[in-house]
Amino acid sequence: MKLKEYRGNRVLKQASARLVPWDASKPDCICELLLTERNFYVLEDNYNGTYTEHYVFPVKEILFMGIVYNMPPRRAAQEQAQHMAENAANMASLAIGTLTGTYAVETKNRNMALAYLRIDFYNLAENTPETIFFTDRDRAVEKMIKYWNKKKLLSEGEGYFKIEPLK
């Protein structure tokens, strides 16, 4: 459902995508992604007029939003095992993947890769950067990325998006 407002904030862009859970605390679910003037919301629709908020963070804390091409987790692990000596960066990613259970290895070969929406943001609560991935995205995701990149350049350092009047 298209939302015009959420928690008193005007929704600037909305898209749907499947959240790729990092651990058992987050479900594998289709989420509504809402970009507002001040916050970015990752919501799961409860189909009763309410939403479960999986992530909420200020737009000024978004470090990166874009599409990356990664191999599916099992295929990435096999590829890394074969080419460990060749790529030290993938070795580090494999070690992290072994600990977290999630492998996100960027690849140049897009034939064998999945396209993910990747969002890097600074988690104020834990005082660390965090990355979340989404698959099965709708076409509105590309429009959201383009809008975010454009507005980010216009509002550097403001902490929120400047809304310009329609011309």
Side-chain angles (χ1 to χ4, degrees):
M1 175 182 355
K2 183 85 170 142
L3 298 173
K4 293 182 181 184
E5 186 177 279
Y6 185 75
R7 293 196 168 225
N9 294 301
R10 190 173 117 209
V11 175
L12 303 174
K13 290 292 177 185
Q14 180 176 351
S16 294
R18 179 179 298 278
L19 176 64
V20 177
W22 281 94
D23 57 28
S25 70
K26 302 290 186 230
D28 181 2
C29 62
I30 299 293
C31 292
E32 290 299 312
L33 311 177
L34 305 180
L35 183 62
T36 68
E37 290 180 54
R38 295 192 181 274
N39 294 313
F40 188 86
Y41 297 92
V42 178
L43 310 172
E44 180 181 1
D45 192 346
N46 296 326
Y47 300 105
N48 62 2
T50 63
Y51 294 90
T52 301
E53 294 179 346
H54 293 300
Y55 292 94
V56 179
F57 46 88
V59 293
K60 69 178 182 178
E61 300 303 330
I62 298 174
L63 306 171
F64 173 83
M65 182 187 300
I67 304 298
V68 296
Y69 293 89
N70 299 319
M71 292 184 184
R74 287 193 176 116
R75 177 80 179 150
Q78 291 169 353
E79 286 279 319
Q80 284 179 332
Q82 292 172 1
H83 301 99
M84 260 200 217
E86 297 172 17
N87 191 340
N90 280 350
M91 255 174 76
S93 180
L94 180 60
I96 292 169
T98 302
L99 294 173
T100 64
T102 304
Y103 297 87
V105 180
E106 292 190 31
T107 178
K108 304 249 188 277
N109 181 1
R110 293 185 179 183
N111 295 334
M112 298 292 292
L114 293 176
Y116 290 94
L117 167 61
R118 176 178 153 185
I119 300 175
D120 298 338
F121 66 97
Y122 193 77
N123 186 333
L124 293 171
E126 298 193 16
N127 206 25
T128 59
E130 191 170 336
T131 301
I132 51 178
F133 290 94
F134 299 88
T135 60
D136 302 333
R137 65 194 193 284
D138 65 16
R139 291 182 182 212
V141 166
E142 282 81 7
K143 292 177 183 175
M144 180 182 284
I145 293 167
K146 191 174 185 178
Y147 184 85
W148 178 79
N149 283 315
K150 179 181 171 189
K151 291 295 183 182
K152 183 184 118 188
L153 292 174
L154 292 175
S155 63
E156 281 289 318
E158 295 291 326
Y160 58 91
F161 289 137
K162 291 181 182 176
I163 305 303
E164 299 157 2
L166 295 175
K167 295 179 184 176

